[in-house]
Amino acid sequence: MYTLDRTETFEQEIRKSRFLAIACVVESDTEAKARIAELSDPAANHNCWAWRIGQAYRFSDDGEPSGTAGKPILQAIDGQALDRTLVVVTRWFGGILLGSGGLIRAYGGTAAVCLRAAAKTEYVERVALSVSLGFSDLALVKARLGAFAGLIMDDEAYHETGARLSFRVPAEKAEEIGRMIVDLTSGRAEIGD
C-alpha cells in the first residue's frame, strides 16, 4: 500500500464540462468529512468524492446517476493501491450530457490521472511504544534504537532517575524491539504502549 506525500490536483475539460480532481491524505473519517466540505465548491454542479482508510471506505455521486462518479473515483484509489486517501472531483456542467459511460470515464479518469501524477510513499503501519529506563541503560538503548530503520522518535522526557522514550516503530518490528530493550536492560526497563 502507498500513501500520498502531498495534495495533488488535476483539471481537464471533457465535452465542455470542467472536471477538477483534488487528492489528499486523510487519517480518519472525521477528517475526511471536514476535507470534503473544505474542498467542495458550492458553485459547482457536482462535488463527487471517495476515500479509503484501511478497510473503511465511502463514496458519493452527489446527484450524478448512481454509480457513475463516486465508485469510479474509489476504483482509481484502489487501482493505485493507495491508503489514507481522499479524492474530490468537482464538475462544472458545460451543457453536453455525457451519459453513464461517459460520466464513469470522466470521473474515474480524472481521479486516476491526478493520482498517477501524485508523489507517493510506501505506507508502513507503525505502533507507538514507550520505555522508561534508568540513566545507566539510556545510552545503549538509544544507540540500538537508532539502528532500526523506520523508527520515529516522538519524545524524550527526563526524570530524576532516568528517561522515558516515546517512539513509533513498524508494526512487524515492535515485538523484536521490545525483546531487545528487555535484554539490553536485563529487565529493568518498563515498556508500555
Side-chain angles (χ1 to χ4, degrees):
M1 295 298 281
Y2 295 89
T3 188
L4 299 176
D5 289 344
R6 63 181 180 277
T7 300
E8 186 70 42
T9 61
F10 173 74
E11 186 173 346
Q12 68 178 342
E13 187 175 303
I14 300 172
R15 300 186 69 190
K16 297 189 179 184
S17 286
R18 186 167 59 118
F19 291 85
L20 170 66
I22 303 172
C24 61
V25 175
V26 289
E27 298 294 332
S28 68
D29 61 340
T30 305
E31 181 183 358
K33 289 174 188 172
R35 293 289 287 170
I36 291 165
E38 174 187 325
L39 298 173
S40 295
D41 183 347
N45 298 88
H46 305 281
N47 292 286
C48 304
W49 52 265
W51 58 259
R52 172 171 296 285
I53 302 170
Q55 296 300 314
Y57 63 90
R58 298 282 180 276
F59 57 86
S60 169
D61 295 320
D62 189 38
E64 292 285 22
S66 181
T68 61
K71 195 167 187 179
I73 296 168
L74 180 63
Q75 289 170 338
I77 293 169
D78 291 344
Q80 302 270 334
L82 288 163
D83 192 13
R84 291 165 166 62
T85 302
L86 162 69
V87 179
V88 176
V89 179
T90 301
R91 177 186 185 196
W92 291 270
F93 184 61
I96 298 175
L97 297 175
L98 300 179
S100 294
L103 289 172
I104 291 168
R105 286 188 298 276
Y107 282 103
T110 302
V113 171
C114 180
L115 292 171
R116 274 196 298 273
K120 302 169 195 75
T121 303
E122 187 171 355
Y123 176 73
V124 177
E125 184 177 346
R126 290 185 166 79
V127 294
L129 293 176
S130 65
V131 60
S132 291
L133 47 99
F135 284 119
S136 61
D137 298 318
L138 183 60
L140 181 59
V141 170
K142 280 182 65 175
R144 290 288 179 89
L145 287 176
F148 278 94
L151 184 138
I152 300 170
M153 187 65 68
D154 291 324
D155 190 36
E156 192 172 324
Y158 294 94
H159 49 78
E160 60 278 350
T161 60
R164 179 174 185 84
L165 306 176
S166 298
F167 49 92
R168 289 174 284 147
V169 296
E172 71 273 2
K173 297 279 187 186
E175 191 174 321
E176 177 186 347
I177 290 172
R179 278 194 315 270
M180 178 205 63
I181 293 170
V182 169
D183 291 346
L184 286 175
T185 63
S186 300
R188 292 183 298 272
E190 293 179 22
I191 299 174
D193 298 349

